[in-house]
Amino acid sequence: MALAPVAAIPVWVPFLAAVVTLDLIADVISKEFSLHGGSWRMALAASFVVAGNLTWQFMLRTSGVGLARAGLLFAVGVAVGATLIGVFGYGEGLTDKQKIGAVLGVLVLLLLG
């Protein structure tokens, strides 16, 4: 008995995951710069932003994903990721309104995915 083929992941999904990851790494390094200083941290954060932007450009050029869809998924992904890093990594709090916004952001990801 043969197994049904698994649906292929669109080529833009790994690119978008890489862009979000690079941006979140830059955010963490920027937070560390704000806490501890060090020009090297600022330069390192900027290099991750540049790497993410280059990946973004390559994704848009080669993968066929639309700017509107990719832009919204990127924005929500980074917002949710940064929120989780802030809350769990740095012990920052959220207001009730911000919690609702985070839940709605996840809902957007589910609806657009």
Side-chain angles (χ1 to χ4, degrees), residues 80-108:
V80 170
T83 300
L84 293 174
I85 291 168
V87 169
F88 295 110
Y90 292 99
E92 299 173 356
L94 291 176
T95 65
D96 288 340
K97 190 184 286 188
Q98 290 167 329
K99 289 176 188 174
I100 292 169
V103 169
L104 291 175
V106 172
L107 182 61
V108 166

Side-chain angles (χ1 to χ4, degrees), residues 17-106:
V19 172
V20 170
T21 300
L22 290 166
D23 195 79
L24 290 173
I25 291 169
D27 290 345
V28 169
I29 297 168
S30 296
K31 177 67 174 182
E32 289 298 313
F33 171 72
S34 74
L35 295 173
H36 307 293
S39 297
W40 65 273
R41 285 186 181 96
M42 185 171 48
L44 186 60
S47 70
F48 274 94
V49 169
V50 169
N53 194 278
L54 291 172
T55 304
W56 177 264
Q57 300 301 320
F58 189 73
M59 176 190 72
L60 290 177
R61 175 81 173 139
T62 62
S63 71
V65 66
L67 179 62
R69 184 179 192 189
L72 185 57
L73 290 171
F74 168 77
V76 173
V78 169
V80 170
T83 300
L84 293 174
I85 291 168
V87 169
F88 295 110
Y90 292 99
E92 299 173 356
L94 291 176
T95 65
D96 288 340
K97 190 184 286 188
Q98 290 167 329
K99 289 176 188 174
I100 292 169
V103 169
L104 291 175
V106 172

